[in-house]
Each structure stands twice: as C-alpha cells, then as structure tokens.
Amino acid sequence: YSGKFYQHVTTEASQATLASVSPVFAVMKLDKEGNATFFEKKKTELYQELGLQARDLRFQHLMSIATRNNRIIMRMEFLKAVITPEFLLILDYRNLNLEHWLFNELASQLAGEGQLVTYSLPFEFRAIEAILQYWISKLQGRLNTLQPQILETLEALVDPKLLSVDRSKLHILLQNGKSLSELETDLKVFKETILEILDEEELIEELCLSKWTDPQVFEESTSGIDHAEEMELLLENYYRQAEDLANEARELRVLIDDSESIIFINLDSHRNVMMRLNLQLTMGTFSLSLFGLIGVAFGMNLESSLEEDPRIFWLVTGIMFLGSGLIWRRLLSFLGRHLEPPLPPHVPAVLKKSQPAAGRAELKNNLKAETFGLSRSTLTNQ
C-alpha cells in the first residue's frame, strides 16, 4: 500500500508540475459590438474553456483555416485567432506590430462600422472577412512597395548607353528578387489554404457556426442565397484577389528574367565591339609591319647608289604607308564580308504577331518596348 500511495503522490506532483509550466497566451477578446478585453491565460485553461484539445492550439502550420467543436481556428503566419459565434480571440497579439489594425480597424469592422460586405451576416462572417482583408491588404502593400523599386532598377540596368553594369543596382535587384520570391510563396500558400476549403462542401458548411448554434439565423439571407453559398462567395472573392496579386507578381518575375537577358546581350554587344576594335588594330599593326620591311632593308648600313638620291627617302616612305593602308583596307573588307549577319527570312503578313494588349500599365510598356528595341539593335550589331 505504501508503494501505491507513493506512486499516486508522484503522479499528482508531476501533473501539477506540467500544469505549472504550461504556455501562457496573451489574449485579446473582441465581442460582436467591437468591445475589447485583454487578459493572460494558460493554454490548458484556454482550450478547456473553448472545448478544444491541446493540439488545436498548437498552430503548427504557417497558414491554416480549420474548424474544431464549433470553433474556427485561423493562423496567418504570426496572426493566431480563434473565432466563435459570440467573440473573436487574438492570441499572442503583443510584439506583432498589429496595434493599429487591432485597435483602430478590427474593432470597428466587427461592430459593423467598417467597409465589410458581411456586416449583415452572422459574427463569424465578419471575423473571417476582417482577417482575410487584413492579410490581402498586407500582401498588396508588399507588392506595391516592390513593384516601383524593381521597375526603376530594371530601367536603369537596361540602358544601352551603359558600358558596364552597376553592381549596386544588381545588388538591389537581387534583394528585390528575393523579396518577390517570398511574396509569391506567401500568395501560393494563401491560395492553397482557401482552395482546400472551396473544394470541400462540408468544410464550407462547418465554417458557418451559426448553423449549429441558432439554425433560424442560417435559413436564408434577404438576397435568397444560403449562408453556406455566401461563405463560398466570400472565400472565392479573396481567392480571386490573391490570384490577381499572383499574376502581377508573375509579370514582374517575367520582366526580371527578360531584363537579365537584355543585360547579357548588352554586355556581349560591348564585348564584341572591343574585340572587333582589337582585331582591327591587330590588322593595322600587321600591315605596317609588312611594309616596314622596306625601311628595315634600307637601315642595314649597306652601301648602294639609292641612298645618294635625296628623293628616295620620300619615295620609300610613301610606298610603305600607301601599301600598309591598302592592305589594311583589304583586310577590313574581308572581315566585314565574313562577319556580316545574314538577311532575315521573309515572313508573310499573315504570320506576323499582333501587337501586345493595350491594357497594361504605361511604365511596363515603356520598359518592355525599350528592352525589345535594345535587343534588336544589339543583335544587329553583333
């Protein structure tokens, strides 16, 4: 009996120790009227009050939207939220630079004073839309910051007047390209998260929490559309916005790749010019050396009757320079015939490509036109 009693006491002590080291969440609670309350609570106490399990508050995914026991658990990277039909919980809200959104925008949106489309729908619709809207606006802000920087850097790098590439510009382009890749990854994960829900009708219905708490609210809206369909339209709306942002980021990526090709063509063109100049100087040196043998023959200190004639110096000098010039011109013409690019084949008018669409931004069109014209000119020079 003493052994069993000791084992029982040890088990209670270990459980008490584990409970004492349980993580503590800094929680911000927002109700339907937008009233906020702040408190700290241990993880064990929080998931017991919400009727969840410990793994539900683990937040092991960078981005996820799931339902557990009539609760919606959302994570948008650093943003952790639990949505119920009556209130919204933001976990670990400190040190996330979310004060402006939490205190100035989110509370008013949940109270129906913001620009949310779902203000007339149940509370969980407003909470989901507010979080998705914040995340889309954050992604849009990142794209708006990167786009002018990338376009400005590319416009400076593809300048045909530059004989070399500015390394500082390349460093900036490398950093912006890395940030663009991170943005494309975040957009892809966001779209996949929403698409997983859109592909399952049961998941969409589970997001409508009011269906299980108050079935009368879930009958039909004033527009005659079921709330499950409105949830689907809500998710599709933000999926389409993410898709538009992904298309813009993809256009920037293609523009960077095209500009890199133009930069390499530009550098190759200048390199070919220097090689051609070097070859011309080599041929000129060869021509002068060839007819310089005449001067060498007269400088061997051998006596002849020619050195007594005062006109022979100018005659030999003239022959040397004239012969060198003729040989140099012949070599240049030979070089030109072999390096001249062939004529392009005739393309029928029916097979010509149409002009690009006129709906793109003016700055992108200018940059693409400039790079296209540069590539044609440099290829012709080569």
Side-chain angles (χ1 to χ4, degrees):
Y1 290 102
S2 61
K4 293 183 179 179
F5 177 75
Y6 176 76
Q7 184 179 4
H8 178 69
V9 173
T10 305
T11 304
E12 290 182 351
S14 61
Q15 291 178 353
T17 305
L18 291 175
S20 62
V21 299
S22 177
V24 178
F25 288 121
V27 184
M28 178 180 180
K29 182 178 180 180
L30 295 156
D31 58 11
K32 296 181 179 180
E33 287 74 25
N35 300 321
T37 55
F38 307 90
F39 56 90
E40 293 184 356
K41 185 161 290 190
K42 292 183 179 180
K43 180 179 179 180
T44 54
E45 299 176 356
L46 185 60
Y47 72 72
Q48 289 176 1
E49 291 182 3
L50 295 174
L52 302 175
Q53 297 183 4
R55 62 174 178 269
D56 296 330
L57 299 181
R58 192 175 300 159
F59 298 102
Q60 65 270 23
H61 301 289
L62 292 178
M63 188 171 296
S64 62
I65 302 175
T67 55
R68 297 285 189 277
N69 194 18
N70 204 26
R71 303 287 187 266
I72 300 175
I73 304 171
M74 296 184 64
R75 176 168 185 180
M76 300 295 171
E77 290 188 359
F78 51 82
L79 179 59
K80 308 172 186 176
V82 178
I83 303 173
T84 70
E86 295 81 18
F87 54 85
L88 166 66
L89 298 180
I90 304 294
L91 307 181
D92 292 337
Y93 66 93
R94 298 174 181 173
N95 301 324
L96 295 179
N97 297 324
L98 297 176
E99 289 79 5
H100 177 74
W101 176 67
L102 290 175
F103 297 104
N104 299 334
E105 298 181 11
L106 180 59
S108 60
Q109 289 176 344
L110 295 179
E113 300 174 0
Q115 298 179 353
L116 297 181
V117 182
T118 57
Y119 68 93
S120 61
L121 294 174
F123 176 76
E124 64 269 15
F125 285 80
R126 297 198 298 266
I128 293 175
E129 184 179 5
I131 295 176
L132 294 179
Q133 187 183 77
Y134 165 75
W135 196 250
I136 282 292
S137 62
K138 185 177 179 62
L139 296 176
Q140 180 71 56
R142 291 169 58 184
L143 181 61
N144 293 339
T145 303
L146 285 174
Q147 188 173 19
Q149 295 178 0
I150 292 176
L151 294 178
E152 182 181 358
T153 305
L154 293 179
E155 191 173 0
L157 287 175
V158 299
D159 189 359
K161 299 179 182 179
L162 297 177
L163 299 179
S164 60
V165 179
D166 190 357
R167 292 187 177 181
S168 61
K169 296 290 185 181
L170 286 178
H171 183 67
I172 295 174
L173 182 62
L174 180 62
Q175 291 181 342
N176 292 334
K178 182 178 179 181
S179 300
L180 184 62
S181 300
E182 294 176 356
L183 177 60
E184 289 177 335
T185 302
D186 293 341
L187 287 170
K188 180 181 178 181
V189 174
F190 181 80
K191 292 192 303 179
E192 291 177 352
T193 302
I194 296 182
L195 192 60
E196 289 178 359
I197 301 176
L198 291 175
D199 291 339
E200 298 292 338
E201 184 176 357
E202 297 180 356
L203 297 179
I204 297 177
E205 292 183 355
E206 290 178 357
L207 292 178
C208 303
L209 304 181
S210 300
K211 177 179 181 180
W212 318 107
T213 57
D214 191 359
Q216 295 180 356
V217 179
F218 192 74
E219 290 178 355
E220 283 190 356
S221 63
T222 56
S223 58
I225 303 177
D226 188 80
H227 283 182
E229 297 180 4
E230 290 186 350
M231 179 64 72
E232 183 177 0
L233 294 176
L234 173 64
L235 297 176
E236 285 182 354
N237 178 35
Y238 286 96
Y239 179 83
R240 185 178 66 253
Q241 294 184 31
E243 183 68 24
D244 294 339
L245 294 179
N247 291 334
E248 294 183 13
R250 194 177 301 112
E251 289 182 2
L252 284 178
R253 175 63 60 187
V254 172
L255 197 59
I256 291 176
D257 296 339
D258 294 342
S259 299
E260 288 179 354
S261 301
I262 297 303
I263 292 172
F264 292 144
I265 292 175
N266 190 13
L267 294 177
D268 290 340
S269 176
H270 291 296
R271 189 182 300 110
N272 292 339
V273 171
M274 298 303 297
M275 293 175 62
R276 188 184 184 96
L277 179 60
N278 186 22
L279 183 59
Q280 291 176 353
L281 293 177
T282 302
M283 290 187 300
T285 304
F286 171 75
S287 303
L288 288 175
S289 301
L290 181 63
F291 281 87
L293 295 175
I294 301 176
V296 173
F298 279 92
M300 289 192 305
N301 297 325
L302 298 177
E303 295 181 358
S304 63
S305 58
L306 295 178
E307 65 269 7
E308 297 178 356
D309 191 349
R311 296 173 298 178
I312 198 65
F313 171 77
W314 301 108
L315 179 62
V316 172
T317 304
I319 292 175
M320 289 173 55
F321 280 99
L322 182 61
S324 299
L326 291 176
I327 292 296
W328 191 41
R329 293 294 300 174
R330 293 288 296 177
L331 292 175
L332 289 180
S333 62
F334 176 79
L335 179 65
R337 287 196 306 268
H338 285 77
L339 294 183
E340 184 178 1
L343 294 176
H346 176 70
V347 180
V350 180
L351 300 178
K352 290 183 179 180
K353 295 183 179 181
S354 60
Q355 297 294 329
R360 296 184 178 178
E362 182 178 0
L363 184 58
K364 292 183 181 180
N365 282 336
N366 294 337
L367 183 57
K368 289 183 179 180
E370 182 179 355
T371 55
F372 181 70
L374 174 61
S375 62
R376 292 187 58 184
S377 61
T378 51
L379 287 174
T380 305
N381 291 334
Q382 294 181 25

